[in-house]
Amino acid sequence: MADGITLKPQPTGWNYLNLSSDDVFAGEEYAIGATAAVSTAWPTAGLALYIPLYVSAPGNAVGIFWQNGTAVAGNVECAIFDEYGNKVATSGVVAAAGTSAPQYVAFASPVQLTCGRYYIALMASNATQTFLAWTTSAAATNVNRMLGVLEQTGLSAGLPASFTPVTSARSLLPICGISFGPSSVAI
Amino acid sequence: MTYARNLQQTYADAGDPDRFATSTISPESEVANILISHNVGAGASGTWPVASTALFFPFTVTGNADEAPRAYTGAIVMNGAAVSGNIDVGIYDPLGNLIAHTGSTAQAGTTAPQRINFATPVQLKPGRYYLAIAMDNITGTTVRWAPTAQTARGAGVRSLASFFPLAASAAAWVGTTQAYVPWVTIVENGAS
């Protein structure tokens, strides 16, 4: 069998998040036996998680969002990094606001994302801040490693222009995503 | 002409998702979907089915054939509640030729991921491959799923008895009769 071209079309969403057709952690979380995502305190102030994301069709990224849990505190930054670890778009460091609801931040200018592999990064400056997140599972630990999730600490002032990640020995997958569209409308 | 991966690609579709870690349960794996569609349930610790039997799971490195290859630095096995003996993880081409493997490695660390690096990162071009794993005993466990062997075979899973450590040619492999899908991933980033 020769090396081939793989061009199986797949759905692409207007909102890319961890459980969308583009990021597809939904299937893995189901297989792992994760229960529903729940409000979860951020484990360490200044921690950032870098979550793999695949953009399957070019698009006009207009904003970014995350799901706050039952308590908000401090600041949050959510950003897109390319596969080489360079920040290409960000919410900026903003105060967490609104419990049990998505928090959306429009980019200062829309960003054209081409097909390919990215990371979506999420940082909270305060360990009291909560996010809607999966924390799996009964049979396994450090699930983030199996999913390609990376992390970096000491970033309370904001995500870096270029990341220097280390192993993410956790089982924590917060829900966050990118909004595409011709216009910026909060989800 | 070879193109860099992804960021220069502006065509409308670059194929299935890939996210730096390709596992037996990720979208790039043929067997992943049957775990959901057959309602197999959550992964759980389970002993290796037959000592020295190797299992081969088909997966795809997505992208166009003229894209640059992707470099995988190692494999991670999610060990179950007991560890024993040795494991070997490797990658085969569609004809059963060994491309890379970790070599026999003592299984270590219960209910946790065990990373084992390849001697050198292995470069894989877009195409079809098999992710292989073998264990030399039936006391060691992995976090695994247990679809029926029939459904696993239908997803293209193959097996080969008396094949530890993984050898150069797996051309004698057959459709699996094992109802065992261990959680194994190959990763690109050295920090994973």
Side-chain angles (χ1 to χ4, degrees):
Chain A
M1 191 183 306
D3 290 328
I5 298 173
T6 301
L7 282 175
K8 187 169 69 175
Q10 58 145 9
T12 182
W14 287 97
N15 292 298
Y16 287 11
L17 69 166
N18 315 72
L19 44 70
S20 76
S21 53
D22 302 278
D23 217 358
V24 205
F25 284 124
E28 279 145 297
E29 291 292 336
Y30 183 85
I32 296 166
T35 54
V38 296
S39 177
T40 304
W42 202 237
T44 303
L47 170 73
L49 293 183
Y50 300 105
I51 303 166
L53 173 78
Y54 186 80
V55 173
S56 58
N60 191 47
V62 294
I64 202 162
F65 63 92
W66 58 91
Q67 293 276 4
N68 287 324
T70 56
V72 292
N75 297 318
V76 172
E77 183 177 3
C78 193
I80 304 166
F81 286 72
D82 68 23
E83 66 173 310
Y84 307 109
N86 303 304
K87 186 157 66 173
V88 296
T90 181
S91 65
V93 179
V94 300
T99 57
S100 300
Q103 184 171 350
Y104 176 84
V105 180
F107 293 137
S109 300
V111 177
Q112 291 290 327
L113 295 182
T114 55
C115 298
R117 306 186 305 163
Y118 298 86
Y119 290 92
I120 185 165
L122 185 64
M123 182 283 298
S125 68
N126 191 308
T128 305
Q129 165 66 19
T130 61
F131 296 98
L132 197 60
W134 285 295
T135 55
T136 57
S137 71
T141 59
N142 303 337
V143 166
N144 285 12
R145 297 184 65 187
M146 304 298 281
L147 303 179
V149 177
L150 303 172
E151 72 175 51
Q152 190 172 349
T153 55
L155 299 176
S156 292
L159 293 165
S162 178
F163 72 28
T164 52
V166 297
T167 301
S168 182
R170 307 176 193 277
S171 295
L172 174 64
L173 195 61
I175 296 175
C176 49
I178 306 165
S179 284
F180 286 78
S183 63
S184 178
V185 178
I187 63 167
Chain B
M1 183 176 185
T2 298
Y3 295 94
R5 291 199 69 85
N6 300 316
L7 293 181
Q8 285 76 22
Q9 305 297 325
T10 55
Y11 44 78
D13 176 48
D16 288 330
D18 67 82
R19 300 153 306 163
F20 313 103
T22 297
S23 78
T24 46
I25 65 165
S26 72
E28 302 87 350
S29 167
E30 296 296 322
V31 77
N33 282 336
I34 69 167
L35 301 179
I36 295 173
S37 61
H38 288 259
N39 197 22
V40 172
S45 177
T47 55
W48 194 254
V50 181
S52 296
T53 282
L55 300 174
F56 304 85
F57 299 91
F59 72 97
T60 303
V61 174
T62 58
N64 286 312
D66 56 1
E67 289 182 37
R70 194 174 306 160
Y72 292 94
T73 60
I76 306 177
V77 178
M78 183 62 82
N79 291 330
V83 292
S84 178
N86 301 291
I87 53 178
D88 193 359
V89 179
I91 299 168
Y92 284 79
D93 73 12
L95 300 176
N97 300 306
L98 181 65
I99 297 171
H101 72 132
T102 61
S104 178
T105 303
Q107 194 184 23
T110 57
T111 315
Q114 180 180 0
R115 179 174 179 129
I116 313 168
N117 286 331
F118 297 123
T120 57
V122 57
Q123 305 275 339
L124 298 183
K125 296 186 296 184
R128 294 180 172 85
Y129 301 91
Y130 286 87
L131 176 53
I133 178 172
M135 188 180 296
D136 66 358
N137 68 93
I138 56 169
T139 303
T141 64
T142 70
V143 171
R144 63 86 179 94
W145 289 261
T148 65
Q150 178 184 3
T151 55
R153 187 170 180 174
V157 179
R158 299 180 179 187
S159 58
L160 186 52
S162 303
F163 203 66
F164 188 94
L166 298 172
S169 174
W173 55 16
V174 295
T176 191
T177 57
Q178 305 300 330
Y180 194 97
V181 179
W183 195 7
V184 186
T185 190
I186 52 174
V187 292
E188 297 179 50
N189 197 305
S192 292

